[in-house]
């Protein structure tokens, strides 16, 4: 837990939000500034700043993030058409919240290469 981290506050209930999913390792909620018709964030409960700061002990939560992404994509009925998982890491990638999170984006065709 990090005192000032917004995703820690959302994950532990200090800031109330509606979870799409919650379990012992991760939570998921809607992004407040959606970039696609479906835009969810899947967030480990433990504070890890980014992929660059990952340690072996965090890997079960990372694996759970992918499992939850699969489940939420299925529930949103976007599994067949496709979806994009994004993990921005660091300044050049545009990471704005320094607590590891996976974006689940879907519901429109997406371009490649990304901007
Ligand atoms: P990133 O730029 O990859 O660090 O993504 C951070 C994401 O968190 C952005 O898409 C924001 O819109 C989103 N975000 C920031 N604050 C909140 C919040 N309180 N609840 C939900 N999403 C948030
Ligand atoms: Zn945090």
């Amino acid at each position: 837990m990090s005192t000032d981290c917004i995703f820690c506050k959302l994950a532990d209930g200090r800031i109330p939000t509606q979870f799409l999913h919650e379990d012992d390792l991760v939570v998921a909620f809607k992004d407040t500034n959606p970039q696609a018709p479906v835009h969810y964030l899947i967030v480990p409960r433990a504070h890890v700043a980014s992929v660059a700061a990952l340690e072996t002990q965090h890997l079960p939560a990372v694996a759970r993030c992918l499992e939850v992404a699969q489940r939420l994509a299925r529930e949103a009925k976007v599994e067949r058409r496709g979806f994009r998982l994004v993990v921005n890491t660091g300044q050049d990638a545009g990471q704005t919240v320094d607590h590891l999170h996976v974006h689940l984006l879907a519901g429109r065709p997406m371009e490649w290469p990304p901007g």
Side-chain angles (χ1 to χ4, degrees), residues 44 48-63 87 89 100:
V48 188
S50 74
V51 169
L54 272 180
E55 295 173 13
T56 305
Q57 76 215 43
H58 304 128
L59 296 184
V62 173
V87 186
T89 304
L100 180 69

Side-chain angles (χ1 to χ4, degrees), residues 3 31 35 40 46 64 70 77:
T3 348
D31 196 295
Q35 303 301 313
Y40 303 157
R64 183 71 59 79
Q70 180 199 49
K77 303 197 186 317

Side-chain angles (χ1 to χ4, degrees), residues 1-2 5-9 44-48 98-100:
M1 197 263 277
S2 169
C5 170
I6 183 143
F7 283 2
C8 281
K9 289 180 179 171
R45 285 187 185 275
H47 181 85
V48 188
D98 289 334
H99 179 132
L100 180 69

Side-chain angles (χ1 to χ4, degrees), residues 29-108:
F29 46 84
K30 289 186 178 174
D31 196 295
T32 44
N33 183 23
Q35 303 301 313
V38 173
H39 188 171
Y40 303 157
L41 298 173
I42 304 147
V43 180
R45 285 187 185 275
H47 181 85
V48 188
S50 74
V51 169
L54 272 180
E55 295 173 13
T56 305
Q57 76 215 43
H58 304 128
L59 296 184
V62 173
R64 183 71 59 79
C65 284
L66 295 186
E67 191 181 11
V68 170
Q70 180 199 49
R71 188 182 317 165
L72 292 176
R74 206 172 275 162
E75 285 172 10
K77 303 197 186 317
V78 297
E79 201 186 20
R80 191 179 57 79
R81 279 191 52 186
F83 55 91
R84 183 171 288 178
L85 302 181
V86 173
V87 186
N88 294 322
T89 304
Q91 199 175 359
D92 274 3
Q95 183 177 5
T96 57
V97 176
D98 289 334
H99 179 132
L100 180 69
H101 51 282
V102 177
H103 296 256
L104 167 58
L105 296 147
R108 63 167 173 81

Side-chain angles (χ1 to χ4, degrees), residues 12-24:
D12 68 18
R14 278 177 289 158
I15 298 176
T17 194
Q18 191 161 2
F19 291 138
L20 302 163
H21 171 92
E22 61 176 316
D23 63 40
D24 56 328

